[in-house]
Structure formats: C-alpha cells, structure tokens
Amino acid sequence: LKPTALPTRAGALLLAAALAIAPPLAQAQVRLPALGESAGEEFSLSTERTLGQQIMREIRRDPAYLDDPPLLDYVQRIWQPLVEAARQRGEITPDTAQQLAFEVFLVRDRSVNAFALPGGYVGVHLGLIAMTTSADELAAVLAHELTHVTQRHIARGVVNAQRITLLSLAGLILGVLAASRAGSSDGVQAAVVGSQAAAAQGQLNYTRDMEREADRVGFGVLADAGYAPAGMASMFEKLDAANRLNDSGAFPYLRSHPLTVERISEARARIALGAPGPKSDRIEHALMAARARVLMDPGPEGLRRQQQRAAITLAPGAASVSTAEQLGALYGGALATLLLGDEAAADATVAKAQKLLREHPAAPAERAFRQLQAQIALQRGDAPAAWRLLDGQGDARWTLLLRGQVALALWRGGGAAACAGAAASAASAAAAAAAAVGAARCDAPAAAALRDSGEALRSWVATHANDALAWAMLAQTEDALGQPLRALRAQAESHVALGDIAGAIDRLRAAQSLARGGSANDFIEASVIDARLRQLQAQQREIAAALRSGK
Ligand SMILES: [Zn+2]
C-alpha cells in the first residue's frame, strides 16, 4: 500500500473532512461497531467497496486529483488489458468484478509512486509515468498494484487491524496519503497527521509474503495482457538505479516496495519463462511521459525547465536521440510553451514535430499533436481554426471536450451576436439571452456548432454518467443554448460525479425554485429534476447509514 503524497495541507484538510463529515456522523463515530472483532471475521467485499467509495469521494475533491483526459485515457488503455487478463485468469471472480471498481486515477505529484486503495482504486503519480520509457514498464507496476486488489491484500490487512471503524479507517488512510508525501515540510500539521498515519501504517502495510505474491501473480497478469515481460525487470532495475543515486524521498514507491536482490533476480528469471511481448508504441509513450513531466510541475519555473529539457534533447550536437525521444521532447516543449502563453513559439514547435512525423508516420502521435495545435489556436483566439483542426478527429473523450470548448468560444466570440440580430451586441445581457433562446433555430455556423456539441455531450454522458468534466462542459453548453434548467441539472451531475452529493442537491434545489418562478417553462425537465433530487437525498441517507453501521 503506502498510498502517499497528496499535498500535506490539502491532505490534512481531507483528514479533517473525513473525521467530521456531518454532526450525526461525528457522534455516531463514538459508538461505531468495530470491524474484525473476531480474527476470522471477513472484511466483506461490500464493506471494502463502501470504504473505497468514501475515500474516493474525498480524493476526487483534492487538488492533487487530476483528470487530464489525454493522460488518463492513455493510462486507462494500459490498465484495461490487465484487468481483462486478471479476469480471464480467474484472479477477478464475478463477485469481485461486480463489487469493486477496478478504476485507475492520476495524482498530480512528481514523486515516483503508485498505490492501491480499498475498493479497487489504483492511484498513479505523474512522476511514475514521467520516469518510465515504455508502456510495459508502467504496466508492470500497475499489474503489481492490481494484484494487491485482486488478492484482497487490503482486506486481509484490515482484518488484522483491531477495533477499527469504517469511518476512522477512511480517515486514517487519507492521513497516510497526506503524511507520507515525499519531503513534506509542513511541520505542525505533518506531525499531527503523521502520528495518525503511523498508526494506520502499522495496520495497513502489506506483508513481505503479500509483496511476493503481487510480484508473482502480477507478472502472470502482465504477460497474459500482452505486455513485454521484460518490463517488470527493467522497471525494477530503473528503480534500483534511482535508489542508489537518490535518497531524497522522491521515490516513495521504494519505501513501500524495498528492492531486494531477490526481487530483481526473480523478475529476471521470469523473463526467461515468458514469451516475448509485442512491441509497444514507444512514440505514444514518450509523448505521454512528456505530458506527465509538464503537468506534474506546472508553475512558470517548472514549465521553463521543460522547455530547456526539450531544447537540450533536440540540440544539433546532442547525443543520438531516438525518434520517440525527439517527438516526446517536441511535445513536452510545445505544451510547456503553450502553458507559458507563447502561442507562436508553441505552433512552431508543433510544426517541427509534424515534419518529423511525415518521415516516421505514427497515428496516435499525429492525433496528439493535432489536438495540441487546436488548443494553441483556441488560446490564440482563433476558434474557427481550432474547429477545423478538430473536424473528423473521431469522438474520443478529449476530442469531445475540446470541441465543446471551441463551440462555446465560437458562440461567445460572435455567434451569439449574429443570432440576436445584426444590431444586437452579445455584451448586452438581454441580447445574449435572446440569442441563446434563438440558438436552437439560428442558422449561424456558431449556433450549429453549439447544437452539435450539445448533442454529442448529451449522448456521451448517457453512457458515461461519472464524467464530471463532460457534465460541466454540457452545463455551459446548455446555458448558452438557453436551457437554464438543463444547465443546473448538468452542474448537479458534475458534482455527483465528484462525490459531492450535498453540492448536487444545492444545484437541484436552485433548479426547482427557478422552475417554480416560472422563468423557465419546461415541465418535463422540472419533473426530472424533482425525481433526481429525491434519489440523491435517499442516497445521502444511505451513505450516512452505511458509515454508521460499518457495512
Ligand atoms: Zn506492493
């Protein structure tokens, strides 16, 4: 385990939040029944699920929780085949598959770490993605963490812990996340949280046997999923080399997973047994590792460091660099430059990459650079160019969200005014409202783009109800389309997806009073809102009851 490294300040807040969610819960905590009262008592799958959901509700609201669509999509594409292989091998039983989430998420942290939480959630630090050179290496770590979940190591650890309640356990795990952050310098709070964390760690650390099992079973999962088995050994070697050079605490993974000679040699021995895996896409990995490097250190100084890193890699006299490394450097350099606000220079860097890609075609990289180019155009204020760049680029999540953003920019940048009539100005609230109501019928290209984007987002959330970003984008789109009730409901769903049920209830109440005020005459939407509100209120009571009973 050793889940580490949400920022200490935020982590301490999380801990406080987990321990004092609401007055009834705080009182109930005193008389919570203990889990694992007898040694043989099972920490049931449903208990583990409830605990995991509670922890994730807190984590999703932490600033370190990162939903970066391109990077998350990439990591999910590495993760899914591992889950599928574990299912095929029978490591994931139908019961476990139904109860646990098997969800991977990103933590904006430059230290090298990955960790499994109760309920089947696996967190991946950007620092880990940044230091790997292939999907195989990243998959090796994910397969190990997945195995901690499938072998129910967390549950077994919890059963060993005595007289611990579900609610206090959630708080303790969040405390571990906070306190074991690499190089924590926030003295007082760290000390307070640290003592809690030490208690939790004593209860939740995996045993050496569990680690060996995670290596052994994880290796089988890795190979069955089609990754090169050598990924595990090369990952270990990399960590080992880093360990020798660096004891600054930048590698929390090493503290929880000490590399013994035995672990490394076992990994090497297993390669001999396994079949060679398929050649993974080094270019796409290089791009995503560069993206992780940029996003894990997004202040101006960090961004300038990434620009310099790109310049050094690409310098004419530099040591021989592979195409993947060159494209990774160009991608990281262009993204850092864009985030620093220099669109012209970012565009020039993308052009260099596209020239290189003409000599070495690679579809995923071409798509990634095109999306970056659209972002550059949007930031430059050229929404029509951004719209053209995204045309025919498929319906992946990132494309959908980018198109939503561009459609709103087109609308706000003149489309609204065009629909309100030549004389009207979008700056006038009345004209903007008139335009919004008219967007449903208006012929202006911006209105068509907005309707298109709204339709695409509505059908996306119908099958991806947990997508907070898509709901938030839909909320803005509905608002521009003159649908305030739908906009409020989409806002509410965005809060639900982030685990903020109280915030969602607030939005739905606001929608109810808007509907009653008669300013929006949409009876069907109003009844949908009433029903959803009742549902969420019931859900809120259920969560409170589950935490109180410890089930
Ligand atoms: Zn482990």
Side-chain angles (χ1 to χ4, degrees):
L1 184 82
K2 194 61 166 272
T4 72
L6 295 179
T8 302
R9 188 184 47 77
L13 290 175
L14 274 181
L15 179 67
L19 293 177
I21 291 164
L25 285 178
Q27 284 157 21
Q29 197 193 336
V30 182
R31 48 189 172 74
L32 276 170
L35 290 174
E37 278 173 319
S38 68
E41 191 178 328
E42 270 293 300
F43 180 70
S44 74
L45 273 172
S46 72
T47 306
E48 185 178 342
R49 181 181 64 171
T50 306
L51 177 62
Q53 286 172 341
Q54 170 63 14
I55 291 168
M56 284 309 291
R57 268 195 289 276
E58 303 299 331
I59 287 182
R60 287 204 177 94
R61 282 180 274 164
D62 192 283
Y65 176 84
L66 178 70
D67 182 359
D68 177 60
L71 208 45
L72 185 60
D73 174 63
Y74 180 64
V75 174
Q76 280 170 339
R77 278 190 280 125
I78 295 174
W79 169 253
Q80 270 317 319
L82 296 170
V83 174
E84 191 42 47
R87 208 189 307 270
Q88 295 284 332
R89 293 165 55 92
E91 312 291 351
I92 299 178
T93 62
D95 205 21
T96 321
Q98 212 200 349
Q99 295 271 2
L100 305 187
F102 296 104
E103 182 182 320
V104 68
F105 65 95
L106 302 174
V107 180
R108 196 199 285 266
D109 192 301
R110 73 188 84 161
S111 63
V112 175
N113 201 13
F115 55 88
L117 290 172
Y121 302 92
V122 169
V124 180
H125 285 201
L126 296 192
L128 174 68
I129 302 168
M131 73 95 72
T132 52
T133 46
S134 69
D136 306 307
E137 290 177 358
L138 187 53
V141 176
L142 295 181
H144 176 102
E145 294 303 320
L146 173 62
T147 305
H148 281 315
V149 175
T150 59
Q151 305 310 110
R152 308 226 43 230
H153 289 164
I154 301 160
R156 281 196 251 157
V158 170
V159 170
N160 293 336
Q162 299 231 319
R163 304 204 62 76
I164 191 160
T165 65
L166 204 52
L167 192 59
S168 63
L169 190 59
L172 286 169
I173 289 171
L174 289 163
V176 176
L177 283 163
S180 47
R181 175 175 175 78
S184 161
S185 60
D186 196 348
V188 179
Q189 274 184 334
V192 172
V193 179
S195 64
Q196 302 258 26
Q201 266 177 289
Q203 288 154 344
L204 295 172
N205 264 357
Y206 300 132
T207 63
R208 191 176 275 243
D209 281 347
M210 290 178 183
E211 291 302 345
R212 289 175 62 123
E213 191 177 35
D215 276 353
R216 181 176 50 79
V217 176
F219 181 86
V221 170
L222 181 74
D224 282 9
Y227 293 101
M232 190 170 267
S234 74
M235 190 68 212
F236 281 174
E237 276 156 16
K238 208 168 249 179
L239 286 166
D240 190 38
N243 200 20
R244 284 164 213 266
L245 289 171
N246 175 328
D247 61 352
S248 69
F251 290 78
Y253 199 75
L254 284 169
R255 288 207 298 270
S256 57
H257 295 85
L259 277 170
T260 56
V261 175
E262 187 194 355
R263 274 188 88 196
I264 298 175
S265 58
E266 278 181 9
R268 283 201 190 113
R270 284 192 193 106
I271 299 175
L273 300 173
K279 212 167 165 322
S280 68
D281 188 340
R282 294 258 167 178
I283 291 180
E284 189 179 21
H285 190 85
L287 262 53
M288 291 301 115
R291 188 173 180 94
R293 262 192 295 278
V294 171
L295 296 181
M296 74 192 189
D297 201 4
E301 269 178 51
L303 294 174
R304 276 192 286 272
R305 263 198 301 279
Q306 291 312 315
Q307 282 182 314
Q308 282 159 12
R309 186 192 163 103
I312 291 166
T313 308
L314 299 163
S320 75
V321 174
S322 70
T323 307
E325 282 171 296
Q326 286 180 53
L327 287 166
L330 288 165
Y331 186 81
L335 181 60
T337 306
L338 173 66
L339 295 175
L340 281 165
D342 188 347
E343 293 93 17
D347 240 347
T349 308
V350 171
K352 276 184 206 161
Q354 285 169 332
K355 184 162 173 274
L356 195 57
L357 278 167
R358 275 192 287 277
E359 295 154 30
H360 308 270
E366 280 158 30
R367 192 171 51 242
F369 277 106
R370 201 179 175 92
Q371 289 165 337
L372 195 53
Q373 217 179 357
Q375 258 185 302
I376 296 168
L378 183 63
Q379 189 172 305
R380 200 174 48 219
D382 190 352
W387 188 255
R388 283 192 298 276
L389 281 162
L390 294 170
D391 198 38
Q393 289 298 298
D395 52 2
R397 181 178 182 233
W398 186 218
T399 308
L400 186 80
L401 292 169
L402 276 177
R403 280 171 67 94
Q405 226 174 330
V406 175
L408 281 165
L410 283 169
W411 177 249
R412 288 168 186 158
C419 289
S425 148
S428 132
V437 173
R441 290 182 307 270
C442 179
D443 286 338
L450 199 62
R451 287 195 298 268
D452 261 18
S453 163
E455 242 167 72
L457 285 164
R458 269 178 236 119
S459 67
W460 175 265
V461 295
T463 50
H464 301 81
N466 292 324
D467 191 337
L469 276 186
W471 280 114
M473 184 63 70
L474 179 59
Q476 290 185 55
T477 306
E478 296 288 16
D479 197 47
L481 286 167
Q483 299 282 352
L485 289 184
R486 288 185 188 186
L488 280 166
R489 186 159 67 86
Q491 275 181 27
E493 296 299 346
S494 172
H495 282 263
V496 172
L498 288 171
D500 178 13
I501 294 180
I505 287 174
D506 277 354
R507 297 302 184 290
L508 291 177
R509 287 211 177 106
Q512 267 186 336
S513 45
L514 185 67
R516 281 198 202 99
S519 52
N521 210 8
D522 190 338
F523 296 116
I524 295 171
E525 187 61 24
S527 68
V528 169
I529 285 165
D530 288 342
R532 186 64 173 137
L533 182 59
R534 281 195 297 276
Q535 214 175 26
L536 287 179
Q537 283 165 334
Q539 204 176 322
Q540 206 178 27
R541 286 192 295 271
E542 260 171 48
I543 291 168
L547 286 170
R548 269 198 297 276
S549 73
K551 292 278 153 55

